[in-house]
Amino acid sequence: MTEKLTPTDPARVGGHRLLARLGAGGMGVVYLGRADSGELAAVKVILPEYADQPEFRARFRREVTAARRVDSPWAVPVTGADPDAPAPWLATAFVPGPSLAEAVTTCGPLPPRGVRVLGRMLARALTTVHDAGLVHRDVKPGNVLLAVDGPRLIDFGIAHAPDETALTSADMVIGTPGFLSPEQARAQPASPAGDVFALGCLLAYAATGRPPFGTGAVDALLYRTVHDEPDLDGVPDDTRELLERCLAKDPAARPTAREVDEALADGTPAEATAEDTAQNPPQDTPQNTADWLPDAVVRLIADRSAEILALPDIEATALDARDPDARAGEQPTDVPEGAPPAPRPTGRRRFLLLGGAALLTAAGGGGALWAARRDDSPAPAAAPRARRWILGVQADLTGPQSTVGHAQERGIRLAVEQFNSRKDKPFTLTLKTVDDRGEAARATKVARTLAADRDLLAVIGSTGDTTTGASLDSYDERLVPQLTASSAQSVYGTSEPRHFLQAVPDYTHLPATAAYSLQTEGARRVGVLIDRGGGIPAWQLGHTMFQNLGVLKIAGEPRVAPRLAKDLAPVVAEMVADKPDGFVYTGTPARAAAVARALARTDFGGVRVLGYPAAVPEFLTAAGAAADGWQIFAPYIDPAASPVRAFATAYRKRYGSAPAYWAAEAYDVARMVITRLTEAGGRPSGKALYDLLLKGTYKGMVRSYSFDKDYRWLESYEVFRYEVKDGRYSYTGRVDF
């Protein structure tokens, strides 16, 4: 997917006319460029602040050298580079297809033969990398592009020779958590065996649609990678044994990339080289994607190629304004004075004149389009449509968290309707809602659809951690500010969201209040049971609780229950035998109920604290009388509390029922966004609105919303206490700490 050039972008880099933006990261921008030969290239340009650092230039120079040493038909080749330019740049052949990550997210897992073919071609690419004396170090689905003639391994930005250590600190974890080896997770030197481990993770993802060590916070991913066995459920039988070997904890037990190639062979001589493969494709090395990819992926690849044909006019950029010789369609210098200017090609025809041959080859079947637009007659001008002011909502409306999702959507809708009813409103706000059903794959899909609406100003959502993390990139690519009122995960995988705000205290901040309350109630020894079945929330709440107990000089006795453990009663009994006067459980509602019943059968009489994600009606029903006395410290206020009473009245009048938990928080966040839009004094860009949200402080009903300027986290940590009494959650008020 491409974006228009901005006025500050250069027009040319290293002999490439820049046509569009392909993406931007923390260290630079990647452009779609056309070389003088007419071929397309992905041109990475480093930002000035990094170009001025000698250490960074040395690393970039190493990247260029490493990439040039890789010569494989399944690795994207370098077509040009200048690491010593004022703005260092690197150009590689442009692949118009989607990444493997996008293809699997959009279309689902690959079929068994597709996994084998993909594995064999990537194993051959890695064999070439390793034969060149290099280690890639970041083999992941996002670094594999699917083209019409097969996959391409990209991004050698952190590839290096195994003995190169000068630019890497001893404790730095290099790679992408979830797709790196146990030794890399321990910050040990990378090796070819680490690339094979990552390839095993990638192929498991391609076969099942999920990483073998799960998703979530970085620390949890690294822990699972080092200690847990991979989840290979759903991997075809004909590749499972090979992936188990690739994912061995001991690097010496893993096959080499060449051995992976041989193991995946299907009638192809194992000794064939990459060059032999390119000239005589074997049975499992297809000459076009239709041989091994599902139809949906083939269509996705075709759509990506077609998008290149549909690029808009090339916008004037900074270099165009400074250097007349760099302008596309430059007026000839020998035109007589006073003569009318020669007409410039316009619209799609202008773009095809700049790079049509390469594009038509990439997309295929484009000759009719070329012929249809040969004349210079402009298309009839359409009357400009007034821009709408759209606030988006992404929520789980039909999945496991639908109660919370509906409460939030209704709270946001009430805020919008109240604003639109004002006589002095400067604009009318439209609400646009999408249902992600609590599913990560669907969250990515609906987020991409919602973000594509050019009138979208901001989005509030999603409801849960997994769906929020899955939607981050879609909104950030479009510079759409995204806010969540309920997703409290402290780290969202490996994403680096730049237009994302958590308007809720995350899991790592809540335990401080709970630990303080335990101290206030006299607890001196606290058992902390972290149930791996509760996923990231359980781990972050439990782990941080243990840390905070240590800060308060309270003896913490942690236990970690495996996800597959069927009976936690023996663990509870063992913990009670240590005579604690406090007990904390973080996990699932059903297993929390089992723990509560087991604890009730002992002589434990101390303080009991339940991690709030498990504090749902299911816990009360399953635990019965054993639920009474458990305390919950949560970021949401009781909808009947006095600070939100006026909201509850309006909610009941509008919807005919009392609001559920999380409705008031969503209402607050919506009111904050509307306030910033009003203060903008006109329609703001996504970045401008994000800056307004980041800089200001909004006094809501539930809490004051202000965000740290450097880390973007919420600065106010209001926490609310509940205690189970007579089979219901009884609200006791805000906890001041």
Side-chain angles (χ1 to χ4, degrees), residues 82-115:
D82 188 352
D84 299 312
W89 60 274
L90 169 68
T92 58
F94 175 67
V95 180
S99 69
L100 175 65
E102 181 184 359
V104 171
T105 299
T106 304
C107 308
L110 299 185
R113 181 171 181 269
V115 174

Side-chain angles (χ1 to χ4, degrees), residues 542-634:
H543 180 67
T544 312
M545 172 64 79
F546 173 70
Q547 291 178 321
N548 279 278
L549 290 172
V551 171
L552 295 175
K553 309 301 182 184
I554 299 174
E557 301 289 342
R559 296 288 191 281
V560 178
R563 180 171 58 89
L564 299 179
K566 295 182 179 180
D567 185 7
L568 299 185
V571 180
V572 172
E574 178 185 339
M575 295 175 69
V576 171
D578 290 334
K579 303 300 182 182
D581 47 18
F583 193 100
V584 177
Y585 171 81
T586 61
T588 69
R591 283 154 72 105
V595 167
R597 293 193 302 269
L599 195 62
R601 291 193 293 268
T602 71
D603 60 356
F604 177 80
V607 184
R608 288 157 287 174
V609 175
L610 175 65
Y612 81 86
V616 298
E618 179 186 352
F619 168 71
L620 300 178
T621 302
D628 278 10
W630 282 81
Q631 298 181 28
I632 298 95
F633 297 85

Side-chain angles (χ1 to χ4, degrees), residues 53 60 88 101 107 123 125 155 287 341 350 353 402 502 544 556 615 661 680 686:
Q53 300 176 13
F60 188 72
C107 308
D155 197 353
Q287 299 184 57
R350 175 186 172 203
L353 286 172
S402 58
Q502 275 180 288
T544 312
Y661 295 124

Side-chain angles (χ1 to χ4, degrees), residues 637-652 659 664 701:
I637 196 170
D638 187 280
S642 57
V644 296
R645 191 163 295 158
F647 160 75
T649 299
Y651 186 101
R652 188 179 293 107
M701 302 177 304

